[in-house]
């Protein structure tokens, strides 16, 4: 198959890019599961943007810098925030049903931790789902967009000519999970919009699709990666044996939710004067410290002092989910724990989403623009997807058409069907336990070195399995996870300080000069 543009991933970045290209180019949109199965669909809180008269680009930039621990790139932060209102208007024009009110702006804006103003536009407490449903409908109907569900990339197709200083990508080998065949898909431009890597950890708010695929694919193709040590742990994931990966939105704290111990004691004011509205890294570390100090499995988030009408209006999905598990949030607190939530680092890109490899772009959580620094400010993620997808689309449309080299089909003549799948499930579990135990919210050099040793052993086993057997979805995800885990640990070992989301007991102080961690292949 051949397309003008190949997009891997169907979250907000991938779908925005597809819609902005499709009037002019043939687009192939490939997604691992279904069109709306990515992390974008799970986003609850909303999208941060400068929309109110009392707000300003300068204030939003300042809030982002403070949360980012001195590591935000000034140029990309200003660029993304300056384009925030325009991006929201584009979504409104597409028909996204944001929650309305009787203000002059016409839409309700909420506030989240780290923000100095109400600037989060949202659709009740299921913003991502509302945005994805709206865009998916348009993507599915566009004649120039071909959608391929249940497809996962095996490897990018890479070539380097004698006169080139960097390699070029011309598409990807992609496993069709329905047929079990690896298909060759060529393209003049390839975009990685595959999301983050939360599944590298035992506990995560992310969907099962978040296995670091794009980061690993880009790294193996020759891209640089930046700041992979900064993994954001969301402070409040629902703690219940039957509630897999269910997030309790930051907006619950924004609208007055209080964190308490099992005995009812409110502890956040002891850690930060902003209490529950402190940035996520502070809140997550505080909860982690209280759980370790008291030997408890969770803490409690209490919004029950608000009226039942208020709760039902603002948090209908959270209320329904909790009720289905026997928790009435209008009368009792919600049990919560921190969980891996967002990958602040990724493939290094410029403001057009271009990587260091020719013809290869990245947008969304898979990328590193410098916006998030050492800690992402709440609701800046979907904004980054929108703005970078827009600028990447413009760059691709301005590209000169090129002649693609002849590409060989995938060769599996020397491999056989796997004899034992247990190797994959065992290694998957071992990797995620090791990452949770040794590369979590609080780190030490000894723990990181221990993790790296285990990762290297696992990597050898997985690579040997990959060489001898036909590829499967589970094997490809495991291979990508172990590569991504190695990048996280190597980056963490490089940083000899505590900053933002990276807290080391061996280096508890922050260095005077802020530096990015850039790894090159």
């Amino acid at each position: 198959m051949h397309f003008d543009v190949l997009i891997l991933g169907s979250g907000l970045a991938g779908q925005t890019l597809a819609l902005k290209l499709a009037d002019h180019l043939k687009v192939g949109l490939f997604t691992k599961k279904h069109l709306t199965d990515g992390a974008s669909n799970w986003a609850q809180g909303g999208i941060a943007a400068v929309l109110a008269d009392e707000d300003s680009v300068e204030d939003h930039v300042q809030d982002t810098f403070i949360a980012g621990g001195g590591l935000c790139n000034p140029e990309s932060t200003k660029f993304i925030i300056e384009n925030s209102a325009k991006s929201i208007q584009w979504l409104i024009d597409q028909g996204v049903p944001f929650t309305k009110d009787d203000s002059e702006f016409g839409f309700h804006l909420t506030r989240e931790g780290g923000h100095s103003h109400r600037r989060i536009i949202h659709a009740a407490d299921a913003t991502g789902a509302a945005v994805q449903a709206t865009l998916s409908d348009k993507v599915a109907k566009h004649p120039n967009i071909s959608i391929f569900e249940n497809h996962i990339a095996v490897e990018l197709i890479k070539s380097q000519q004698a006169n080139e200083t960097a390699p070029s990508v011309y598409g990807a080998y992609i496993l069709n999970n329905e047929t079990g065949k690896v298909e060759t898909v060529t393209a003049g431009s390839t975009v990685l919009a595959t999301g983050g890597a939360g599944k590298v950890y035992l506990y995560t708010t992310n969907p099962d699709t978040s296995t670091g695929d794009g980061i690993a694919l880009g790294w193996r193709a020759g891209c640089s990666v930046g700041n992979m040590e900064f993994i954001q742990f969301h402070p409040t994931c629902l703690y219940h044996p039957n509630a897999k990966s269910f997030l309790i939105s930051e907006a619950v704290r924004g609208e007055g939710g209080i964190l308490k111990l099992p005995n009812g004691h409110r502890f956040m004011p002891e850690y930060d004067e902003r209490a529950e509205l402190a940035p996520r890294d502070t809140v997550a570390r505080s909860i982690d410290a209280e759980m370790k100090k008291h030997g408890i499995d969770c803490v409690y988030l209490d919004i029950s002092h608000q009226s039942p009408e208020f709760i039902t209006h603002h948090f209908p999905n959270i209320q329904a989910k909790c009720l289905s598990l026997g928790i009435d949030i209008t009368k009792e607190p919600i049990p919560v724990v921190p969980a891996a939530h967002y990958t602040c680092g990724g493939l290094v890109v410029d403001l057009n989403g271009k990587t260091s490899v020719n013809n290869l772009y990245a947008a969304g959580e898979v990328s590193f623009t410098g916006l998030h620094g050492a800690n992402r400010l709440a609701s800046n993620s979907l904004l980054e997807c929108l703005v970078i997808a827009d600028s990447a689309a413009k760059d691709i449309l301005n590209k000169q058409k090129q002649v693609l080299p002849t590409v060989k089909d995938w060769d599996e003549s020397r491999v056989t069907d796997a004899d034992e799948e247990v190797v994959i499930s065992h290694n998957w579990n071992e990797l995620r336990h090791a990452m949770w135990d040794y590369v979590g919210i609080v780190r030490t050099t000894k723990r990181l070195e221990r993790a790296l040793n285990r990762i290297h052993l696992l990597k050898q086993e997985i690579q040997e399995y990959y060489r001898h057997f036909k590829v499967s979805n589970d094997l490809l995800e495991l291979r990508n996870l172990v590569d991504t885990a190695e990048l996280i640990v190597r980056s963490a070992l490089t940083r000899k300080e505590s900053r933002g989301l990276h807290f080391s007991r061996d280096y508890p102080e922050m260095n005077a000069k802020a530096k990015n961690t850039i790894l090159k292949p």
Side-chain angles (χ1 to χ4, degrees):
M1 285 183 280
H2 174 76
F3 299 96
D4 297 318
V5 184
L6 163 63
I7 300 174
L8 298 172
S10 62
L12 181 56
Q15 291 202 27
T16 299
L17 192 58
L19 286 170
K20 295 201 171 195
L21 291 170
D23 286 347
H24 308 280
L25 299 171
K26 292 278 186 189
V27 177
L29 184 65
F30 288 75
T31 187
K32 218 163 39 165
K33 285 197 174 176
H34 300 295
L35 201 55
T36 56
D37 273 342
S40 296
N41 196 51
W42 288 31
Q44 292 178 353
I47 307 172
V50 180
L51 302 166
D53 290 341
E54 63 270 20
D55 199 1
S56 68
V57 168
E58 290 71 29
D59 284 354
H60 191 168
V61 167
Q62 183 66 15
D63 291 345
T64 302
F65 280 179
I66 291 167
L71 264 185
C72 300
N73 178 298
E75 185 190 5
S76 54
T77 303
K78 189 162 184 268
F79 174 78
I80 289 166
I81 291 169
E82 278 179 341
N83 284 283
S84 62
K86 187 177 76 172
S87 296
I88 296 301
Q89 188 57 54
W90 181 77
L91 287 180
I92 292 170
D93 293 343
Q94 303 309 303
V96 175
F98 291 117
T99 299
K100 296 185 176 182
D101 65 7
D102 55 6
S103 67
E104 195 175 330
F105 175 53
F107 293 96
H108 182 261
L109 300 177
T110 191
R111 185 179 168 194
E112 294 180 344
H115 289 275
S116 57
H117 296 281
R118 284 183 171 267
R119 64 166 70 99
I120 318 299
I121 190 168
H122 61 101
D125 61 347
T127 307
V131 172
Q132 285 296 94
T134 304
L135 297 190
S136 294
D137 186 54
K138 289 185 174 288
V139 164
K141 290 174 180 173
H142 203 293
N144 270 358
I145 301 175
S146 302
I147 299 166
F148 297 86
E149 296 182 320
N150 298 308
H151 283 67
I152 179 173
V154 180
E155 209 70 279
L156 295 172
I157 297 169
K158 192 177 78 166
S159 171
Q160 185 161 355
Q161 311 302 322
N163 61 339
E164 290 181 327
T165 55
S168 297
V169 161
Y170 298 104
Y173 295 111
I174 300 177
L175 173 66
N176 180 337
N177 276 320
E178 290 170 357
T179 65
K181 298 292 181 191
V182 176
E183 297 164 354
T184 306
V185 183
T186 57
S189 298
T190 299
V191 184
L192 296 168
T194 52
K199 292 297 283 188
V200 79
Y201 285 97
L202 191 58
Y203 300 110
T204 177
T205 64
N206 291 183
D208 290 342
T209 52
S210 299
T211 51
D213 301 331
I215 295 166
L217 287 165
W219 171 255
R220 293 195 297 263
C223 295
S224 299
V225 297
N227 287 5
M228 285 296 295
E229 68 271 36
F230 297 118
I231 302 293
Q232 187 174 72
F233 287 80
H234 197 287
T236 54
C237 184
L238 180 59
Y239 180 73
H240 192 281
N242 299 328
K244 183 184 174 189
S245 307
F246 189 78
L247 177 71
I248 303 299
S249 167
E250 185 134 358
V252 174
R253 301 201 309 283
E255 296 294 346
I258 293 168
L259 285 162
K260 297 177 177 178
L261 295 177
N263 64 7
H265 174 67
R266 183 187 185 189
F267 58 87
M268 273 311 299
E270 296 158 24
Y271 289 91
D272 194 288
E273 61 184 15
R274 293 164 290 186
E276 282 80 10
L277 288 177
R280 288 176 176 177
D281 58 330
T282 303
V283 180
R285 266 201 307 277
S286 305
I287 294 172
D288 186 62
E290 289 294 315
M291 286 168 59
K292 285 185 167 73
K293 190 189 339 181
H294 298 287
I296 52 179
D297 293 327
C298 66
V299 297
Y300 293 86
L301 179 60
D302 195 354
I303 190 77
S304 63
H305 51 277
Q306 297 280 22
S307 72
E309 294 76 21
F310 180 93
I311 291 169
T312 301
H313 177 69
H314 281 84
F315 309 113
N317 291 290
I318 292 172
Q319 184 184 26
K321 178 68 174 181
C322 289
L323 268 177
S324 74
L325 299 167
I327 304 162
D328 184 351
I329 69 173
T330 66
K331 297 175 182 173
E332 59 189 315
I334 309 164
V336 293
V337 289
H341 183 58
Y342 191 84
T343 313
C344 286
L347 303 175
V348 177
V349 296
D350 64 13
L351 294 181
N352 291 323
K354 290 166 78 169
T355 70
S356 52
V357 172
N358 295 325
N359 307 328
L360 184 63
Y361 295 76
E365 193 175 351
V366 68
S367 69
F368 168 67
T369 62
L371 170 68
H372 306 305
N375 180 25
R376 175 177 72 94
L377 181 65
S379 292
N380 267 355
S381 52
L382 295 182
L383 174 63
E384 182 185 45
C385 290
L386 288 164
V387 174
I388 298 301
D390 179 66
S391 57
K394 288 172 182 166
D395 194 78
I396 290 168
L397 289 169
N398 287 328
K399 270 178 68 175
Q400 285 187 315
K401 285 215 169 185
Q402 54 187 324
V403 178
L404 269 60
T406 304
V407 173
K408 291 180 182 175
D409 283 336
W410 184 254
D411 179 12
E412 55 178 35
S413 59
R414 288 169 291 180
V415 295
T416 59
D417 288 323
D419 51 1
E420 287 186 335
E421 295 282 331
V422 70
V423 175
I424 295 175
S425 60
H426 177 81
N427 286 354
W428 177 283
N429 289 331
E430 190 175 334
L431 176 66
R432 296 178 73 207
H433 274 94
M435 289 296 288
W436 186 259
D437 291 340
Y438 303 134
V439 201
I441 296 171
V442 177
R443 300 163 178 175
T444 67
T445 301
K446 189 171 279 186
R447 284 184 199 167
L448 292 172
E449 287 171 345
R450 201 171 283 160
L452 195 60
N453 286 336
R454 297 201 175 182
I455 286 166
H456 284 159
L457 290 171
L458 287 169
K459 199 171 173 179
Q460 286 174 0
E461 271 188 36
I462 294 162
Q463 194 54 31
E464 187 179 342
Y465 197 92
Y466 176 78
R467 278 200 303 268
H468 288 98
F469 300 115
K470 287 180 181 176
V471 295
S472 66
N473 189 85
D474 289 349
L475 174 59
L476 294 175
E477 287 186 332
L478 178 62
R479 183 173 178 241
N480 293 333
L481 272 179
V482 79
D483 281 351
T484 306
E486 183 181 30
L487 293 171
I488 293 169
V489 178
R490 280 179 56 193
S491 299
L493 280 166
T494 302
R495 188 164 293 280
K496 309 294 187 191
E497 63 165 349
S498 288
R499 184 185 296 273
L501 300 165
H502 174 76
F503 187 84
S504 169
R505 282 213 181 125
D506 297 314
Y507 303 96
E509 303 302 318
M510 190 158 70
N511 292 340
K513 192 172 181 186
K515 287 185 180 175
N516 292 316
T517 305
I518 307 295
L519 300 181
K520 297 188 176 181

